[in-house]
Amino acid sequence: MHRSRLILPALTVAALALFAQVPAGGAAPAMEWREVFNEDGSITQALTPKAPAERTRTGFKALATAEVIQIQQAEGGEDPNNAFDLVFVGDGYTAADLATYSANVESKWAELSAVEPFAEYKTHFNVWQVNVISNESGVDNDPTKGLQKDTALDMGFWCQGRDPNTERLLCVNEAKAKEYAALAPQADQVIALGNTTKYGGAGGSVATAAGSNAQAGQIAIHELGHSIGGLADEYDYPYLTYTGAEPREINVTKDPTGAKWSEYLGQPSPDGGVIAPVEGARYYKSGLYRPTSNSIMRTLGKQFNSIGRDAMIKAFKAKIPTPTPPQPPAN
């Protein structure tokens, strides 16, 4: 997830309330901003406690073991350095739940690979499924807050927060998820699926989504915009005005003329808009501009705009070799 040092006024009250619950003389918990994805497709951020580091009794991580299944092999994908490797790990799936997990992986990959530019580059992906086995089915705080499950990756709703806005925030122990993902030959991106039908997901170095919820796959698509394309969020908050330097992300600019996108200006965009600077981006209501009114970096269920799509393609091409052109048949 794209992280910002920005303190958002709309969320300050919730953050202060959390700190107020720290016992006298105790240390305030380490905090981080996390994206929260709402069922209507809107996206916000919430301040949540960081998960504590996981340790074994000896202070070292246990070596993960799990079966790895290849869902798709890329064209020329025998060499993982010549393909994009996407790795799914699951949490809250017992051995008896593996059929459900496999169906969840297949459906999420089908949804992701139907969206451009993933659809165009689908054949250049290696897709891996790591069968992480949990002792109990489900995830923490589902269906009710406070219900804890014994699972391999510690996934749960509310993300350890108390703010009701974080209910749909589905967090995972990223260190454990990456440890299991490392069992695949290579992992360029990791997606963790939770064994739940409740809508939810989260961003981070490991994107998460509810495995059995049809809407939750859009969360992973948005997050891959960050992790693969280096794209900024395009949503904003009231009252915030940007006064900093030109952002590094290609899909936001402080220039109201949109000169950053000069070759695109006035052209139709896949998300249904026309490339022209629209004020309000990367959490700021004014002072920053996005390329179109409403792409997937602003609202789930939308397409990438032209700027975002081309950034994704550029990242793919840096990883995926140029396909060998077809050769004429021999005489």
Side-chain angles (χ1 to χ4, degrees), residues 142-206:
D142 182 31
T144 59
K145 191 175 182 182
L147 181 63
Q148 301 295 298
K149 299 292 181 69
D150 181 8
T151 66
L153 306 180
D154 308 325
M155 189 177 282
F157 288 99
W158 295 85
C159 201
Q160 300 185 13
R162 297 180 175 89
D163 182 349
N165 292 325
T166 65
E167 179 180 356
R168 302 290 180 167
L169 200 53
L170 183 60
C171 289
V172 69
N173 184 299
E174 294 185 356
K176 287 184 176 181
K178 289 177 181 178
E179 186 180 359
Y180 278 100
L183 297 175
Q186 187 157 307
D188 294 310
Q189 177 65 46
V190 182
I191 298 177
L193 301 182
N195 187 13
T196 176
T197 60
K198 180 177 178 177
Y199 176 80
S205 59
V206 176

Side-chain angles (χ1 to χ4, degrees), residues 61-68 80 85-89 128-132 153 174-191 206:
K61 289 192 302 182
L63 180 64
T65 58
E67 179 186 21
V68 178
D85 288 83
L86 179 65
V87 180
F88 286 92
V89 296
W128 307 93
Q129 171 183 321
V130 181
N131 289 344
V132 183
L153 306 180
E174 294 185 356
K176 287 184 176 181
K178 289 177 181 178
E179 186 180 359
Y180 278 100
L183 297 175
Q186 187 157 307
D188 294 310
Q189 177 65 46
V190 182
I191 298 177
V206 176

Side-chain angles (χ1 to χ4, degrees), residues 52-327:
E54 290 293 326
R55 295 178 179 273
T56 65
R57 286 182 299 176
T58 59
F60 297 95
K61 289 192 302 182
L63 180 64
T65 58
E67 179 186 21
V68 178
I69 299 173
Q70 188 165 24
I71 302 301
Q72 174 178 295
Q73 181 174 326
E75 293 178 354
E78 296 83 0
D79 181 357
N81 293 316
N82 289 336
F84 197 99
D85 288 83
L86 179 65
V87 180
F88 286 92
V89 296
D91 195 38
Y93 298 91
T94 66
D97 296 326
L98 285 182
T100 298
Y101 173 52
S102 294
N104 291 164
V105 171
E106 294 279 2
S107 66
K108 292 297 185 286
W109 169 236
E111 182 177 4
L112 172 63
S113 61
V115 174
E116 293 292 354
F118 294 97
E120 180 181 354
Y121 287 84
K122 177 180 179 179
T123 59
H124 298 288
F125 275 74
N126 285 324
V127 183
W128 307 93
Q129 171 183 321
V130 181
N131 289 344
V132 183
I133 304 297
S134 290
N135 291 327
E136 290 187 88
S137 295
V139 298
D140 290 347
N141 301 315
D142 182 31
T144 59
K145 191 175 182 182
L147 181 63
Q148 301 295 298
K149 299 292 181 69
D150 181 8
T151 66
L153 306 180
D154 308 325
M155 189 177 282
F157 288 99
W158 295 85
C159 201
Q160 300 185 13
R162 297 180 175 89
D163 182 349
N165 292 325
T166 65
E167 179 180 356
R168 302 290 180 167
L169 200 53
L170 183 60
C171 289
V172 69
N173 184 299
E174 294 185 356
K176 287 184 176 181
K178 289 177 181 178
E179 186 180 359
Y180 278 100
L183 297 175
Q186 187 157 307
D188 294 310
Q189 177 65 46
V190 182
I191 298 177
L193 301 182
N195 187 13
T196 176
T197 60
K198 180 177 178 177
Y199 176 80
S205 59
V206 176
T208 72
S212 293
N213 185 282
Q215 293 177 264
Q218 292 294 311
I219 296 171
I221 297 169
H222 172 94
E223 286 303 322
L224 294 182
H226 292 311
S227 57
I228 296 176
L231 300 176
D233 288 312
E234 295 179 7
Y235 51 91
D236 55 80
Y237 289 90
Y239 315 121
L240 297 179
T241 299
Y242 185 77
T243 58
E246 175 64 23
R248 60 177 176 78
E249 300 95 339
I250 189 61
N251 63 321
V252 291
T253 184
K254 63 180 292 185
D255 183 355
T257 71
K260 193 172 187 175
W261 313 310
S262 57
E263 61 188 288
Y264 296 87
L265 291 175
Q267 296 181 10
S269 179
D271 59 328
V274 173
I275 301 297
V278 179
E279 194 165 18
R282 211 183 70 173
Y283 325 122
Y284 291 90
K285 189 68 175 179
S286 59
L288 281 182
Y289 299 81
R290 60 189 188 273
T292 56
S293 60
N294 205 12
S295 81
I296 194 170
M297 299 313 294
R298 183 176 176 87
T299 305
L300 299 185
K302 304 296 182 180
Q303 296 287 320
F304 288 99
N305 56 40
S306 300
I307 309 301
R309 183 174 294 192
D310 284 356
M312 299 291 282
I313 290 173
K314 182 179 179 180
F316 288 158
K317 287 183 175 180
K319 177 66 180 175
I320 300 168
T322 303
T324 304
Q327 301 298 313

